Amino acid sequence: MFRLQGSKVLAVDMTGDAVKAKNGSMVAYDGQMAFKKMSGGGEGLRGMVTRRLTGEQMTVMEVKGHGTCWFADRASEINLVSLQGDKLYVESSNLLATDAGLRTGTSFTGMRGASQGNGLFTTTVEGHGQAAIMSDGPAVVLRVSAQYPLTVDPGAYVAHQGNLRQSFQSGVTFRTLMGEGGGEAFQIRFEGDGLVYVQPSERNTIAGDV
């Protein structure tokens, strides 16, 4: 159902089924399609929208029909994630589309959201199906194991899945290690077994000056 055309365009082939996608991300379609705006961002996302500290709005549309839809957003790189009953945690700004059968919700993330200035909640996607996530530049998928925990800069974090525990190491970022930046800052540490998606370009943050 989901396939990439190049690295920056998602093609979704539909035969009467539906897909949920970021509003305004459709660039073309063929066949017969019906479109519906989902208020509050769709199931489970209303709480996230209302609790965003910056008032960021995430609007989702449902597309249903027969044919192919193409989606893209600001020339971002697109990564396909297959879920087999597990849960994906993804920053709302990095979520492009999901199978309509996947459940979306909200998860409390603690200080990480505050460091990015976009709230204390992140989006969860779970069930069986495919999701498309975006990154600024080609994402790197890093494996976390019991022997090899992973430390990530909050601005480069995109998503994670698997049996992972998050903790926050305050007082330092990769910039302050090199004598750049200032103020109280931190990194995210992942332990357990799973995958972390990291982008090569950091989103704008408030540098962890919380």
Side-chain angles (χ1 to χ4, degrees):
M1 185 177 174
F2 282 25
R3 55 188 171 87
L4 294 180
Q5 290 199 210
S7 63
K8 300 179 181 180
V9 178
L10 169 69
V12 182
D13 301 312
M14 286 181 278
T15 56
D17 40 1
V19 62
K20 291 183 292 188
K22 184 176 182 179
N23 199 42
S25 63
M26 187 177 63
V27 295
Y29 74 92
D30 63 21
Q32 302 271 326
M33 296 291 167
F35 308 95
K36 181 173 68 174
K37 181 178 179 180
M38 305 180 72
S39 63
E43 57 166 325
L45 291 180
R46 181 181 298 277
M48 178 198 68
V49 171
T50 58
R51 287 178 291 196
R52 282 305 206 197
L53 294 187
T54 60
E56 170 195 344
Q57 296 293 313
M58 179 182 178
T59 310
V60 175
M61 62 179 178
E62 182 182 74
V63 184
K64 186 176 184 179
H66 293 78
T68 301
C69 277
W70 288 269
F71 300 92
D73 187 54
R74 293 170 296 155
S76 297
E77 299 280 338
I78 300 172
N79 307 270
L80 297 184
V81 180
S82 294
L83 297 177
Q84 305 296 327
D86 50 331
K87 184 181 290 188
L88 174 72
Y89 297 81
V90 56
E91 293 299 307
S92 64
S93 59
N94 294 95
L95 182 60
L96 177 64
T98 66
D99 283 346
L102 290 173
R103 298 182 302 281
T104 51
T106 311
S107 176
F108 179 73
T109 58
M111 290 182 61
R112 186 184 74 230
S115 77
Q116 296 168 0
N118 64 357
L120 299 178
F121 297 84
T122 195
T123 300
T124 59
V125 181
E126 61 183 316
H128 291 81
Q130 287 184 294
I133 61 176
M134 299 179 293
S135 57
D136 187 2
V140 177
V141 184
L142 303 175
R143 163 69 65 178
V144 181
S145 66
Q147 295 81 15
Y148 295 98
L150 181 70
T151 302
V152 175
D153 188 298
Y157 168 82
V158 173
H160 74 272
Q161 65 185 127
N163 185 22
L164 293 177
R165 299 180 305 280
Q166 292 182 72
S167 59
F168 301 95
Q169 299 177 324
S170 62
V172 66
T173 66
F174 294 109
R175 284 196 181 91
T176 56
L177 281 174
M178 302 304 295
E180 300 177 7
E184 182 73 9
F186 63 91
Q187 303 163 347
I188 316 170
R189 181 179 173 89
F190 292 94
E191 297 176 273
D193 182 43
L195 301 174
V196 177
Y197 297 79
V198 176
Q199 63 185 7
S201 174
E202 291 186 89
R203 68 175 64 80
N204 289 330
T205 74
I206 56 174
D209 298 338
V210 183

